[in-house]
Each structure stands twice: as C-alpha cells, then as structure tokens.
Amino acid sequence: MLVRFHGAAGEVTGSCHEVEANGHRLLLDCGMIQGSDEDERRNEDPFPFDVGDIDAVVLSHAHIDHSGRLPVLVKRGYRGPIWTEHATADLLKVMLEDSANLAQMDADRDNKYRRDGKTNHKPLFTKADVAAVLRQVRGIDYETPREILGGVTLTLRDAGHILGSASVELAADESAGRRVLAFSGDIGPRGTPILRDPVPVPRADLVLLESTYGGREHRERQSTLDEIRDVLEHAWADQGNIIIPAFAVGRSQELLYWFARQWDEWNMSRWKIFLDSPMAMRVLEVYGRHERLFDADAQAVWNGRPHPFKLPNLQLTPEVAQSQAINNIKGGAIIIAGSGMCNGGRVRHHLRQNLGRKQSHVMFVGYQARGTLGRRLVDGAETVRIFGEEIRVNAVRHTVGGLSAHAGQSGLMDWYGAIEGRPPVVLVHGEDDAREALAKALDKKLGAEVSLSRVGMQREV
C-alpha cells in the first residue's frame, strides 16, 4: 500500500492524495486550490497522475477544497465511482453547481474586461460537468464497511466537521497481509452544535492527519459567545450593520443555531437578519433531509425557542434584486453572506457597500486562507480592491475563532491518540507553521513518529 501526496501539502486547500492498494489506484479527495489568483490558476494544471489509471475516488466531505476539482477529473476522462457519505452526496450537488456558476461568471468577466487581451476565457468546468460527477457518486452509511475495489474495503466514520463529513479507513488485503490507512478528513471540535462528535479510526498502520489549526487552540465556547454578544451590542450602539462572511455549509447553520439559542439573552428580535446566500438556503433544505445525523441535543436545544432555520426575523434572499435591496439598509441588519473567505459570492457586494462606513462591523467566523480578500482584511489591510474599486476600510473588524469547524491542537491530538498503537502519522492540510507545531506536540506528548507531506512525496503504509 502506497500513498502519494498531490495537494494540501503545506497549504490548507487542494486536498488530493493518491493511494495504491492491492493493485488498484484511488484518490482520497480531489479538491480545489483556493487563495490568490495565482494559486487558483493551478486548478487548470494537468493532474500529476494518469486519470485513466484511477479506479475509484473517496470523498471525505463536500467543501470545495476537498471536492472542487472532481468536475475537472471527470471532464478529463475519469469514469469510476465516487464514494462518500449520503449527506455529502446531497451537499455535493449544491456545492459544485454553485462553484460552476462562479466559474462561468469569472470567465464572462474576464472576457468582458479582457484583462489579458484575450476574449476566449472558458470556465474551469460547467454545470454539465457537475451533472456527470453526480452520476458517478455512490453514497454509503457511516460505520458500514464496503468493498469498493477487489481486496480494498472502505469504512467511513463521522468526522464532526460538517454534515456528512467523514474520516476514512481504507483496508487492503495484500500479499504481505492486511494494511490499514486512516485519513482524518477535516476533524471538527467536540460539542459542535447540531453535529455529532468526531469518531476516531480504531487502528491503522499509517494516519494522514489534517493540521489546519495544529498550532493553536480555539477559545472556550462561552468566551466566543460572549464576544459575539459584544459585537452585537457594539454594532447596535453604532447603528450599523454586521457583515458576516460565512461558509454556506456548517458555519451559516451554526450561526442561526446560536441566534435561536441566545434569542432572549442577545435580544435578537430587534435585528433584521438576512441569509443572503442561495447556496446556504439550499443547504438548509439538505439539513432538513438528514436530521438523523444531528446530535442528541439538537432538537432539545431549540424546543421552546425559535427554530434556528425559521427565525421570525430571518429573511432569505434568493433573488439578486432582494440581495441588492439590502444595500438600502444602513443599520440594524445582520447580513450572513457567502463566500466565507470573501473571494466571491454576494458578500463582496456587501463589503463594498459597508467597509467604508465607520458604523459598520465585519465579523469573521472562519478560516481565511493566504491570498484571499478575507485574509487581507483580517490582517488589517487599510485599503482593499473590490470589483476594481479601491476601498478604504473604516469598518470595525472582529475575528471570532471559537466557531471554527476545525478542531484545535488538543482535539486533533485526542482524535489521533485514540487510535490503537499510535501509528506513524503524516500531517496534511495545514500551513507549515501549524504543521510544525502539531508535529512537535505529537512527538513530545504522544511519542508519535511524524512527518510533513510535500507535493510529490510518497509513503508506504
């Protein structure tokens, strides 16, 4: 059994790992590279393997940095199955169709403004390519071993990151004996609202472990809730709006959950709340179809309070005209809009309208990758360029870390530490400073043999 690392090696996007097992080749994830324009152009590059040699794909979850190049893979000739949990299969349609729309708009914009003198820009992939992907998706349940290739068995376990997210166990019956590879996918924090806690793989011979927040801990949840309350009070006193760039899957739903749970304590009824993300609205429907995956406390928590997805002052704005009308509101609005890193979607229009106003507040509740507009704002940029316009940033910025969908260092170590025998581990899906900090902690506290993945590196299981 052999693993080759093609993505998310020294960065937190572009997850893609090739596995040879029992004479077969498969991919763990096929994610999009996100960040600067230069970073994202790498998505057009040829794959570092022969697409025709790939027999299967296993998808850990629906986030675009794990799934976003699947349409490219299929467009370039992949015809095999894509195995994933049922809720991920459901979310994948939403995520990839939205991504195809964004790709088409980017191509149209490049052709219109002829930024490089060309007029024949084409999108990375289209909705037709997405439809082809969806025809190849095969849904399976958690904790249900499935032979997906001859002598190769897949088992998925709840990763607690987003709805349908999974940690992957691949077991191969080879001539030298049974070998087991564990891939964490993205691990969520314990106690995340709505979602169940992550479940570790029982045993493995090699572990691929994500490390997005491997160098830090998230603040206590109560501290996070206190900070959100303070942001709400500050913005209300300033008579301004709150712009929340939020990922359509997970973060938007969690925010609505907390607004419902703290309905009275935070005096939420005074606000106009907008969910201005067509994709997030579709995700709400998916959540409704998969309540079997909710944790035991979810229904009890909002019993007697407003349902988080049906708040009395929540307005869904699927139409462009409805979104544009929000810009007429100068205060008293909470605007949850995609994309989470501000690199696309409707949030950029709201930032354009609000960043220059001292009364406005921007609350970041998720990871901001290098090269993104969100990262520049979090890092304190005094001016930013949006739709070709240079905008001075006068709005108040807040970074709320405790709502992360990723486990911090101790959560990652707890997940790994529960695996029998503490096998060798390769750190993926993290910037180098985070990976190095986690590697040091794993070695010191758990005696783990740790290495850091590099693009092109290979490792025997």
Side-chain angles (χ1 to χ4, degrees):
M1 206 172 186
L2 187 70
V3 185
R4 294 185 182 90
F5 300 91
H6 299 310
E11 57 187 335
V12 296
T13 67
S15 180
C16 187
H17 317 296
E18 180 187 0
V19 181
E20 284 188 38
N22 203 28
H24 305 286
R25 291 177 186 261
L26 57 89
L27 294 183
L28 298 175
D29 289 346
C30 191
M32 187 175 289
I33 301 161
Q34 297 172 303
S36 66
D37 290 344
E38 182 179 357
D39 288 332
E40 295 189 359
R41 278 194 290 271
R42 291 157 52 202
N43 290 306
E44 301 173 6
D45 293 346
F47 289 105
F49 48 81
D50 188 333
V51 173
D53 290 341
I54 303 301
D55 300 305
V57 176
V58 177
L59 177 63
S60 65
H61 64 284
H63 274 152
I64 288 297
D65 59 326
H66 292 256
S67 69
R69 289 188 85 192
L70 285 172
V72 182
L73 188 74
V74 170
K75 185 178 182 180
R76 294 178 184 175
Y78 177 66
R79 296 295 179 263
I82 300 166
W83 297 96
T84 195
E85 202 281 328
H86 292 288
T88 295
D90 213 354
L91 286 171
L92 194 61
K93 174 179 171 63
V94 178
M95 301 290 282
L96 292 183
E97 287 182 351
D98 180 77
S99 189
N101 283 335
L102 293 175
Q104 184 64 61
M105 286 190 292
D106 286 344
D108 291 345
R109 190 178 301 114
D110 286 341
N111 288 327
K112 180 178 180 179
Y113 293 106
R114 304 184 185 185
R115 294 174 182 175
D116 56 3
K118 300 178 181 178
T119 59
N120 61 343
H121 290 277
K122 297 187 182 304
L124 184 64
F125 57 84
T126 66
K127 281 192 173 182
D129 299 317
V130 172
V133 168
L134 298 176
R135 287 193 292 270
Q136 294 169 225
V137 171
R138 305 288 182 268
I140 60 176
D141 293 324
Y142 290 129
E143 310 289 344
T144 306
R146 178 73 173 262
E147 186 174 20
I148 60 171
L149 296 166
V152 180
T153 300
L154 167 67
T155 307
L156 301 180
R157 289 181 171 82
D158 200 331
H161 173 61
I162 63 170
L163 192 73
S165 61
S167 297
V168 175
E169 175 189 321
L170 280 178
D173 296 317
E174 300 184 316
S175 57
R178 188 176 179 86
R179 304 298 289 176
V180 178
L181 173 68
F183 170 43
S184 68
D186 285 352
I187 301 295
R190 294 181 65 83
T192 298
I194 301 175
L195 302 178
R196 299 185 298 209
D197 288 343
V199 178
V201 172
R203 65 163 299 274
D205 297 294
L206 181 69
V207 177
L208 312 186
L209 177 62
E210 72 113 328
S211 51
T212 309
Y213 285 105
R216 57 171 286 187
E217 298 290 359
H218 302 306
R219 65 181 62 183
E220 292 292 326
R221 183 161 283 119
Q222 188 56 52
S223 298
T224 298
L225 297 179
D226 290 343
E227 184 173 5
I228 294 174
R229 178 201 62 208
D230 292 344
V231 172
L232 293 168
E233 292 300 327
H234 190 178
W236 188 261
D238 286 345
Q239 299 182 334
N241 296 325
I242 303 174
I243 313 301
I244 307 178
F247 298 97
V249 181
R251 202 61 43 81
S252 295
Q253 292 76 35
E254 184 175 352
L255 282 167
L256 295 176
Y257 168 94
W258 287 117
F259 291 164
R261 179 164 179 168
Q262 305 295 120
W263 181 259
D264 293 324
E265 294 87 340
W266 292 352
N267 195 10
M268 292 306 304
S269 61
R270 60 186 166 170
W271 292 92
K272 301 181 185 71
I273 303 173
F274 296 93
L275 183 60
D276 191 31
S277 166
M279 181 166 62
M281 297 172 212
R282 294 177 66 191
V283 170
L284 289 185
E285 298 174 1
V286 175
Y287 268 65
R289 291 195 290 270
H290 294 276
E291 291 193 4
R292 63 186 174 80
L293 299 181
F294 291 4
D295 69 8
D297 296 331
Q299 294 289 355
V301 164
W302 60 65
N303 186 27
R305 297 182 176 88
H307 190 291
F309 306 154
K310 302 175 183 178
L311 300 175
N313 53 348
L314 175 63
Q315 297 184 47
L316 308 182
T317 52
E319 302 300 329
V320 172
Q322 294 171 311
S323 176
Q324 292 172 336
I326 299 172
N327 292 325
N328 297 322
I329 301 172
K330 303 306 180 185
I334 297 172
I335 306 164
I336 304 170
S339 67
M341 297 185 194
C342 309
N343 260 25
R346 293 182 178 181
V347 74
R348 292 169 69 89
H349 295 276
H350 298 301
L351 291 172
R352 183 185 185 188
Q353 295 292 327
N354 284 273
L355 281 178
R357 305 179 66 240
K358 293 180 179 179
Q359 302 96 324
S360 298
H361 292 248
V362 184
M363 186 166 71
F364 294 95
V365 294
Y367 187 84
Q368 306 297 315
R370 287 178 301 191
T372 62
L373 173 59
R375 182 67 165 260
R376 292 196 294 276
L377 287 168
V378 165
D379 287 346
E382 295 182 357
T383 61
V384 293
R385 182 172 291 274
I386 300 177
F387 301 127
E389 179 183 351
E390 197 73 20
I391 298 172
R392 176 160 294 279
V393 182
N394 295 317
V396 183
R397 288 168 270 193
H398 311 268
T399 302
V400 179
L403 293 183
S404 176
H406 289 267
Q409 185 183 93
S410 62
L412 294 170
M413 292 179 65
D414 288 345
W415 185 89
Y416 166 78
I419 301 174
E420 178 185 328
R422 294 178 182 171
V425 57
V426 181
L427 297 182
V428 298
H429 207 279
E431 295 176 1
D432 279 347
D433 55 350
R435 296 199 298 170
E436 288 163 2
L438 181 57
K440 184 176 180 180
L442 286 166
D443 176 35
K444 181 178 179 180
K445 297 180 182 178
L446 298 177
E449 174 195 324
V450 188
S451 57
L452 276 58
S453 66
R454 299 294 177 196
V455 172
M457 184 178 101
Q458 63 182 34
R459 177 70 182 265
E460 288 189 6
V461 180

